[in-house]
Amino acid sequence: MAETAETAELHFNGEVYQIPVVKGTENEKALDISKLRGQSGLITLDAGFKNTGSTQSAITFLDGEKGILRYRGYTIEQLAENASFLEVAYLIIYGELPKAEQLEHWRNDITYHTLIHEDFKVLLEGFPSNSHPMGVLSSLVTSLTAFYPESLDPVRSSNEVDMSIIRLMAKLPTIAAWAYKNEIGQPLMYPKNDLDYCGNFLKMMFGTPAENYEPNPVVISALNKLLILHAEHEQNCSTSTVRIVGSSQASLYASVSAGINALWGPLHGGANQAVIEMLEAIKADGGDVNKYMAKAKDKNDPFRLMGFGHRVYKNFDPRARIIKKAADEVLSQLGVKDPVLEIAKGLEEVALSDPYFVDRKLYPNVDFYSGIIYRALGIPTNMFTVMFAMGRLPGWIAQWKEMRENGEPIGRPRQVYTGENAREYVSLDKR
Ligand code: ACO
């Protein structure tokens, strides 16, 4: 980011304040108000950070008006078409596409660390069998701090940080699959290190000691694409959470665990589960798409069309476009006919021509079609957001690492206080 010669002027109470304008590498401009309070006593107010940049980041470029998404300069379309998830993870975390030797090293390191400590079984047994796997996932990721206490001091050594990165990348699929196995009461499956990242995860999810499960290449390839499409998305709710938790110098595991919890909500990563539940409900209610469109538009009805709308995409979500195509391919290759897909297509068609959705620029987002693919791949609905977390992991890691390397200050927004003015304490008998 460069400071420009331009300044904006703020006129307030007879004074004029010069506000520097800074520019990113894609020419997007921002007012740097970091000194404004010291000069004028004013802060800026922006609930939900709708128009506030929280950081300077070199990881992802996103243009919501044009529907552009690039990781480290490479378009999401090219990466989804050509790369493996681990290759993209390396790119996002370390800034460049790995050379063959670096990729081999990265893969080997991650494969070597896929096992988790046997004591995790004891932790898992403590969860009721109907626990949501996102809660289990975030708890177990935090628990990694207990097994690797050297990770608690991320300031001390970058070798420790690299080790934490590898462990987290390696162990998250194992933890995710074990959370699922625990929920359905099947024996836990150990990682098999002759399989690739996606194949290994699928084997731990769907394999049993009784049967030899061979992951289907169509499923592996679809999963690889889905993970890439979810891998990074700049300063969204969960990533901002990871950065802000990490800014207190909390460990990588603690920060990512917080990100997993932020992702869980239905307005963020939890939307993929909510979409399928919504489509199922519409199907069970006779499949009347128009009825649900009317509910979504009714301001007195809390119902929202899940999987529609996005804070930054006001044209289309490029990830949704790729996923929609992939959903069609996967369903036809696997020979799956899903009536819920027809309802999804019907909803999309009606919404895209309805003035309510058109005027508000509400388009299908990444979660609208991802759930349909996950269903076709046999992933249970309550694991959808866990899949998202596995995909988003490199993004969280890269943003945490960047925040730390930039030496960013602790995150601490201000507020405008709207409560009572100072008043005297009233004793209990006089209230
Ligand atoms: N259905 C119906 N109306 C909607 C929807 C929706 N899905 N999304 C937004 N709107 C309406 C709002 O009611 C509002 O209308 P108004 O201007 O008349 O008050 C307008 O569109 C703008 O919506 P906001 O909520 O102000 O937009 P915001 O940027 O704050 O929210 C969000 C974005 C949370 C994604 C929202 O569109 C939503 O709730 N979508 C459904 C949940 C979802 O799919 N989330 C996943 C997002 S992708 C991701 O996180 C991975």
Side-chain angles (χ1 to χ4, degrees), residues 61-112:
F61 175 69
L62 196 168
D63 183 330
E65 273 70 36
K66 296 195 183 122
I68 294 173
L69 175 61
R70 296 185 210 129
Y71 302 158
R72 302 281 189 185
Y74 297 98
T75 66
I76 187 75
E77 287 80 7
Q78 285 189 11
L79 293 171
E81 192 57 39
N82 301 304
S84 73
F85 174 62
L86 283 191
E87 198 182 343
V88 173
Y90 185 99
L91 167 73
I92 291 172
I93 296 170
Y94 295 108
E96 293 295 340
L97 283 169
K99 296 189 186 355
E101 199 182 306
Q102 290 169 316
L103 183 59
E104 197 191 332
H105 220 269
W106 172 240
R107 269 205 196 110
N108 287 346
D109 280 347
I110 288 175
T111 308
Y112 182 75

Side-chain angles (χ1 to χ4, degrees), residues 394-413:
W396 289 332
I397 293 173
Q399 297 272 353
W400 182 92
K401 185 168 171 286
E402 182 181 64
M403 176 272 309
R404 183 179 161 274
E405 287 166 358
N406 286 352
E408 290 182 15
I410 186 165
R412 205 302 183 186

Side-chain angles (χ1 to χ4, degrees), residues 84-273:
S84 73
F85 174 62
L86 283 191
E87 198 182 343
V88 173
Y90 185 99
L91 167 73
I92 291 172
I93 296 170
Y94 295 108
E96 293 295 340
L97 283 169
K99 296 189 186 355
E101 199 182 306
Q102 290 169 316
L103 183 59
E104 197 191 332
H105 220 269
W106 172 240
R107 269 205 196 110
N108 287 346
D109 280 347
I110 288 175
T111 308
Y112 182 75
H113 288 277
T114 46
L115 271 179
I116 50 181
H117 197 288
E118 286 292 294
D119 286 352
F120 268 82
K121 289 182 176 170
V122 183
L123 296 178
L124 267 173
E125 278 163 18
F127 285 96
S129 60
N130 60 354
S131 307
H132 195 288
M134 281 296 276
V136 178
L137 190 74
S138 74
S139 307
L140 295 190
V141 167
T142 302
S143 309
L144 287 169
T145 54
F147 294 89
Y148 305 102
E150 62 279 13
S151 67
L152 287 173
D153 183 3
V155 182
R156 205 182 42 194
S157 140
S158 61
N159 285 349
E160 269 327 318
V161 169
D162 282 335
M163 206 52 238
S164 295
I165 291 173
I166 287 165
R167 287 202 175 107
L168 201 46
M169 285 294 301
K171 293 177 197 306
L172 200 73
T174 313
I175 295 175
W178 281 23
Y180 172 63
K181 287 294 195 194
N182 189 57
E183 185 196 345
I184 60 168
Q186 283 189 1
L188 306 177
M189 294 293 287
Y190 285 94
K192 270 200 70 43
N193 286 354
D194 53 345
L195 293 171
D196 72 356
Y197 198 78
C198 294
N200 199 7
F201 169 72
L202 290 166
K203 181 124 187 165
M204 289 188 284
M205 273 287 286
F206 299 118
T208 66
E211 265 178 289
N212 186 27
Y213 169 88
E214 287 302 330
N216 180 334
V218 173
V219 178
I220 291 179
S221 154
L223 184 56
N224 184 61
K225 193 172 275 191
L226 281 164
L227 296 183
I228 292 174
L229 291 172
H230 284 92
E232 161 58 16
H233 213 233
E234 49 116 301
Q235 308 311 319
N236 56 79
C237 174
S238 57
T239 304
S240 299
T241 300
V242 170
R243 274 186 102 119
I244 211 161
V245 173
S247 75
S248 74
Q249 296 183 356
S251 74
L252 179 63
Y253 301 139
S255 307
V256 166
S257 171
I260 292 171
N261 285 321
L263 186 75
W264 192 356
L267 297 190
H268 189 18
N272 52 16
Q273 173 173 345

Side-chain angles (χ1 to χ4, degrees), residues 50 266-269 271 296 299 303-311 314 319 356-357 360 362 365-367 388:
K50 290 196 172 197
L267 297 190
H268 189 18
K299 291 287 167 205
F303 176 79
R304 278 194 164 199
L305 212 51
M306 299 314 287
F308 265 79
H310 198 277
R311 172 61 62 78
K314 301 299 175 196
R319 303 166 302 171
Y356 175 96
F357 284 83
R360 289 171 179 75
L362 301 172
N365 59 48
V366 67
D367 286 325
F388 192 154

Side-chain angles (χ1 to χ4, degrees), residues 305-310 313 315-321 324 344-345 347-349 351-352 357 361-369:
L305 212 51
M306 299 314 287
F308 265 79
H310 198 277
Y313 290 121
N315 182 335
F316 65 92
D317 180 338
R319 303 166 302 171
R321 198 171 260 184
K324 184 181 178 185
K345 284 185 172 158
L347 260 185
E348 185 185 6
E349 206 178 303
L352 290 181
F357 284 83
K361 299 185 167 41
L362 301 172
Y363 295 88
N365 59 48
V366 67
D367 286 325
F368 193 64
Y369 282 104

